[in-house]
Amino acid sequence: MSNKGMGRLQVVAAWGSGILVITAAAAACLLRGMFFAREMYGMLAVWFVLCAAVAGSSYILCRHSQSQNRKTTSSIYINGGYQSGGTAAKIVLSGPLLIVVLYALHLLHSPLSVQGTVNELLRWGLYASFAFFAFLCAGTRWGSRLLTVVWHGLGITFSLSALLAVCGGLPLRFAVAHTASPEISATGARLGGLLQYPNAFGAVMAVFLLERMFALASGDAAARHHARGEHRAFRAARQPLRMLPLFPYAAALLLSESRGALLAAACAAAAALLWKRRLAAPLLAAGAAPVAAAALLYRQLARTGLAVEPLPGLLLLAGFWAGALLAGLWLCRRSRRAAGGIRAALLLLAAALWTAAGTAVLGQLRERISGPSSTVSARGLMYRDAWKLAGEAPWLGQGGETWHSAYLAAQSRPYVGSQVHSGYLDFLLNLGIAGVAVLLLLLLAAVWMTGRNAPRLLPPLLVIVLHAAADFDWSYGLSWLLLFLLLAMAHAESRQRVTAASETPPVRVQPAFNRRSHIRGFMGAKRAGVRLILICICLAFSWLSFQMMMGERLYSQAVRTAEPAAQITLLRESLAWNPCDPKAAVSLARLLPGEQGIDLLRSSLIYAPENPGLHWALAGSYMTGDDPGKALYWVRRSLQLDSFNAAKQAKAAEGMLELGRRNLLKGDQQRAAASASAGLELLRQYRLLALQERSKGRQHNDRRFEFNESADMLNMELKELLAAVYASKQLSAAFVLTRLIPSSAGQ
């Protein structure tokens, strides 16, 4: 490829990758951390089109340059151009692609939920492409600076939006999670920010906090390299900017009250300090004032339950932030310049500030930390149920969103938890041992790559790796974007060191027309073919995302429509775009007459064979008919998939009661008796299950599963129906005898 062609290709790749990285970061802020797949469909449709556009542009330029090379002699850069990131980088970039392949294989073999598998396929297509373009950005100097800007932009956006929702009156929906349970929150309110979930938000804030603290403690070698040759005053002005985010990160972390995030941050920092002990003193000085100020702010807001007036709240926030910044700058500069006893005294002061901060926080959270935790025991119960579910398909799992699709059938107690609260267990359920092996290989390569190329980025990476073991951070796309951003920044720092160490200009070699040139030509054609395949895959993913988006949009319109005819039309169009959506199928089946609704529900079971909603809708359809055998079959199947649902248990018995009454009115005494007997048996099993659950105590009975008075009334009505059936049989028999006796007497 000619120099001009290579230059154009690099410009297109660099600008395109930068735009895509910014797009993904903005989407993570606007879409609540990318938790809900239904909110991501539109963004994904645009994202994959942009990916195809960037890849297509580079493909066209590559083909054009190859055609020019046939007429002119090209030059090959030995010491220039893009350099390989090593084996670890290749594993990091290949891991998401392998996960995409595993989800694609599941789509060919009837997963537990086609909708869930498509969601995960699209998600990992996003992660894989984002990782590729982030690494491509890291290949240039301005691209590496862009990655840094995006990183800090994300951190400031998530932290300040959350703090302003508390202190500044920012109307951020569900930014604060209120609870009356002291086991969940010591103050009655926890900060969730844009993520709307305090634990995940706390983990994200811990990631940003450790990145800043270790950047300051290690001296930020990359920043010093860029600042080489700058004026001393300008270099001094950079220090406040680098310390500026520490206070909001620390305050947001403490206000989240996430014990797991604090523990993960402590473990990650301890592991890094054991490896780099010389960072202990700078870390102590850098974080003392911001953390102490954040602890004081937390104590102040804890008294009010995170409820303050906007103006006093803003003044309080600004005062603590300014004090933390000024005190932190003074302490860092004095401890860096001082020596001997003065430096020891300053470090002792920093240690005292850390101790005071810890005492203030622990004093507030003492009961939650030292006392028995219902959330910990609930997680243990959930993990045991998840292990049993994983044993059903240990090698390849059961496809995307397995736990969300099957937890109602798998749970051994009536807890509420559509998320398994462990990213590793979630992978095991979705992709089995094969998927977990790919994941662990990816994470090991990430830790190795970060520890080798940018040790200061290892602690925040470890927070992502550790906290996901006890919560569902990885259900947020933001967590994966942060992980790949960290790895791309580590790759950028490694490349900058290599570039700085090598001062020799690129060597141009005139290629000879020999076997090697033919091999290079073949490899270039092969890479062009790979680009073309990737473009087609991106376009296919974009079309799939567009289909999901249209189906979801039409379903939302149907839900908001009051006219049944319009609802039917919209729901039919929704299923035409996305036939694997079970909730649209259930909604449409309720509006269709008898057999049409049943046929629709049966066909939808192909896409979700164990969906509780579909089975319950089928049971309801058959209970409105006249066949107690079919009704009982689907009722039992439905209750097996959601046994701790008291409303369904009672409704099933009520449905059999109505079915029996209708059959009795028709004169079908046999079916009426069968319906009544089936209803009584359902209530008996319901009562036994409720008594068994009551014997285990009220803990973990989040769904309030119990045998209530309405169930007793149903039991009486079913017995009355059965008695009426027997009475009608006796009356029929007596009537037959009265007809037979006179005739025989006359003879």
Side-chain angles (χ1 to χ4, degrees):
M1 183 179 293
S2 64
N3 297 344
K4 189 176 181 180
M6 174 65 78
R8 289 178 179 174
L9 184 60
Q10 289 180 350
V11 169
V12 170
W15 278 98
S17 60
I19 291 172
L20 284 168
V21 168
I22 294 173
T23 300
C29 297
L30 297 174
L31 300 179
R32 297 185 281 182
M34 297 182 177
F35 180 78
F36 297 101
R38 64 177 181 272
E39 296 179 350
M40 297 174 59
Y41 294 143
M43 173 263 171
L44 289 172
V46 176
W47 170 268
F48 289 118
V49 167
L50 292 176
C51 292
V54 174
S57 300
S58 62
Y59 172 76
I60 293 172
L61 287 175
C62 183
R63 297 289 294 178
H64 177 71
S65 299
Q66 286 176 0
S67 64
Q68 293 293 325
N69 290 344
R70 296 189 184 99
K71 301 177 182 179
T72 61
T73 305
S74 63
S75 58
I76 301 171
Y77 284 83
I78 294 178
N79 295 331
Y82 295 104
Q83 298 178 355
S84 172
T87 304
K90 293 176 182 177
I91 294 174
V92 165
L93 293 176
S94 301
L97 293 175
L98 289 175
I99 293 173
V100 169
V101 170
L102 289 174
Y103 278 119
L105 290 175
H106 269 292
L107 285 177
L108 302 175
H109 295 88
S110 300
L112 198 63
S113 170
V114 173
Q115 177 80 40
T117 305
V118 169
N119 289 341
E120 291 299 321
L121 179 72
L122 294 175
R123 281 181 178 274
W124 280 96
L126 167 66
Y127 306 153
S129 54
F130 177 83
F132 174 77
F133 287 111
F135 271 71
L136 199 60
C137 237
T140 59
R141 176 162 296 187
W142 78 267
S144 64
R145 292 176 178 174
L146 176 65
L147 292 178
T148 304
V149 171
V150 170
W151 174 269
H152 293 304
L154 281 171
I156 290 296
T157 300
F158 277 97
S159 60
L160 282 187
S161 61
L163 292 175
L164 289 177
V166 175
C167 301
L170 181 68
L172 195 61
R173 193 179 183 190
F174 303 126
V176 178
H178 297 278
T179 178
S181 174
E183 296 182 350
I184 298 177
S185 173
T187 63
R190 298 175 61 184
L191 191 58
L194 287 171
L195 301 184
Q196 301 180 357
Y197 179 56
N199 289 349
F201 177 73
V204 168
M205 289 298 99
V207 168
F208 284 108
L209 177 63
L210 287 190
E211 186 276 331
R212 275 296 83 201
M213 289 179 62
F214 276 86
L216 290 166
S218 62
D220 206 345
R224 287 204 307 269
H225 173 70
H226 288 307
R228 191 173 297 168
E230 294 174 348
H231 194 272
R232 181 178 298 178
F234 183 75
R235 291 200 301 269
R238 291 173 59 90
Q239 186 70 4
L241 292 176
R242 296 167 64 197
M243 292 194 66
L244 193 64
L246 281 178
F247 169 76
Y249 293 165
L253 170 60
L254 294 181
L255 289 172
S256 72
E257 285 192 19
S258 175
R259 296 169 296 180
L262 290 171
L263 181 60
C267 293
L273 290 177
L274 287 175
W275 183 31
K276 300 283 186 180
R277 297 181 182 178
R278 61 181 178 81
L279 297 180
L283 188 71
L284 198 68
V291 171
L296 290 176
L297 178 66
Y298 168 71
R299 292 283 294 187
Q300 186 72 22
L301 294 178
R303 299 171 184 172
T304 63
L306 305 190
V308 293
E309 294 295 326
L311 182 58
L314 283 175
L315 294 175
L316 185 69
L317 179 63
F320 276 113
W321 196 352
L325 182 60
L326 294 175
L329 285 171
W330 178 84
L331 189 57
C332 284
R333 289 174 180 174
R334 294 287 296 175
S335 62
R336 189 183 301 115
R337 296 173 183 174
I342 297 178
R343 186 169 187 271
L346 291 172
L347 292 178
L348 186 62
L349 174 62
L353 289 175
W354 276 96
T355 304
T359 303
V361 174
L362 291 176
Q364 192 72 31
L365 300 177
R366 183 182 298 111
E367 294 182 2
R368 289 192 65 213
I369 294 176
S370 60
S373 175
S374 60
T375 57
V376 174
S377 60
R379 276 181 171 83
L381 180 64
M382 193 179 299
Y383 295 162
R384 288 193 294 271
D385 293 340
W387 274 110
K388 294 178 182 178
L389 181 61
E392 297 179 5
W395 295 106
L396 291 176
Q398 301 187 62
E401 299 182 5
T402 293
W403 178 257
H404 181 75
S405 303
Y407 81 99
L408 292 175
Q411 61 182 190
S412 57
R413 296 289 304 277
Y415 52 76
V416 175
S418 59
Q419 296 288 332
V420 75
H421 286 270
S422 173
Y424 298 92
L425 266 179
D426 197 38
F427 256 85
L428 183 64
L429 292 170
N430 290 355
L431 297 178
I433 296 174
V436 172
V438 174
L439 172 68
L440 293 178
L441 185 62
L442 187 156
L443 295 179
L444 287 174
V447 171
W448 169 264
M449 178 182 173
T450 308
R452 183 178 181 180
N453 297 339
R456 71 177 184 86
L457 298 178
L458 185 59
L461 179 70
L462 289 178
V463 172
I464 296 175
V465 173
L466 293 174
H467 193 263
D471 224 313
F472 54 91
D473 308 356
W474 288 347
S475 295
Y476 288 88
L478 174 67
S479 296
W480 291 106
L481 299 190
L482 294 181
L483 184 142
F484 290 120
L485 265 179
L486 283 171
L487 296 177
M489 290 192 295
H491 181 61
E493 291 191 14
S494 174
R495 288 182 57 83
Q496 290 167 14
R497 284 196 298 270
V498 171
T499 304
S502 176
E503 297 180 354
T504 59
V507 180
R508 295 181 180 178
V509 180
Q510 300 296 334
F513 291 97
N514 54 16
R515 184 178 179 184
R516 291 186 179 180
S517 66
H518 289 297
I519 293 175
R520 283 193 293 269
F522 171 74
M523 293 303 294
K526 185 177 180 181
R527 290 176 182 174
V530 171
R531 282 196 192 96
L532 190 58
I533 292 173
L534 291 177
I535 291 170
C536 295
I537 292 175
C538 287
L539 292 176
F541 275 29
S542 178
W543 176 248
L544 184 58
S545 303
F546 182 74
Q547 286 182 300
M548 299 293 108
M549 180 193 71
M550 290 300 298
E552 186 65 31
R553 181 175 297 176
L554 290 167
Y555 172 77
S556 300
Q557 292 177 8
V559 171
R560 294 192 298 267
T561 302
E563 187 180 353
Q567 279 188 329
I568 292 175
T569 301
L570 290 170
L571 289 172
R572 287 188 186 277
E573 293 177 0
S574 174
L575 286 173
W577 282 103
N578 179 19
C580 59
D581 187 1
K583 64 180 185 296
V586 170
S587 299
L588 180 57
R590 291 171 181 166
L591 301 173
L592 295 178
E595 291 298 325
Q596 292 185 24
I598 290 175
D599 292 341
L600 173 63
L601 293 171
R602 282 181 172 273
S603 62
S604 297
L605 286 176
I606 299 173
Y607 303 105
E610 294 188 18
N611 183 270
L614 290 175
H615 283 80
W616 179 246
L618 272 168
S621 297
Y622 280 109
M623 282 190 293
T624 58
D626 57 2
D627 190 338
K630 291 182 179 180
L632 183 61
Y633 171 77
W634 287 104
V635 163
R636 289 192 182 279
R637 287 197 61 179
S638 176
L639 293 179
Q640 286 174 358
L641 297 175
D642 190 8
S643 57
F644 291 108
N645 191 320
K648 282 185 181 180
Q649 294 276 6
K651 193 69 176 177
E654 184 180 354
M656 299 307 294
L657 173 64
E658 296 299 327
L659 177 59
R661 286 173 174 172
R662 287 196 304 273
N663 283 322
L664 183 59
L665 289 175
K666 293 178 182 179
D668 194 337
Q669 300 168 351
Q670 183 177 359
R671 286 188 172 183
S675 300
S677 300
L680 288 171
E681 179 61 21
L682 289 173
L683 282 178
R684 187 185 71 83
Q685 294 176 359
Y686 173 25
R687 182 186 289 106
L688 290 176
L689 187 60
L691 290 174
Q692 181 183 2
E693 182 57 35
R694 180 182 293 181
S695 66
K696 297 178 181 178
R698 293 187 177 272
Q699 190 179 18
H700 306 311
N701 191 358
D702 305 325
R703 302 175 66 185
R704 298 179 181 178
F705 181 76
E706 56 187 13
F707 195 85
N708 50 34
E709 295 180 1
S710 60
D712 282 328
M713 293 296 296
L714 282 173
N715 190 65
M716 292 177 58
E717 291 178 359
L718 284 166
K719 288 182 177 179
E720 290 175 358
L721 174 62
L722 194 60
V725 171
Y726 289 147
S728 64
K729 285 184 178 181
Q730 292 176 358
L731 288 174
S732 299
F735 179 74
V736 170
L737 288 176
T738 56
R739 294 292 301 271
L740 291 175
I741 291 174
S743 60
S744 60
Q747 291 177 353

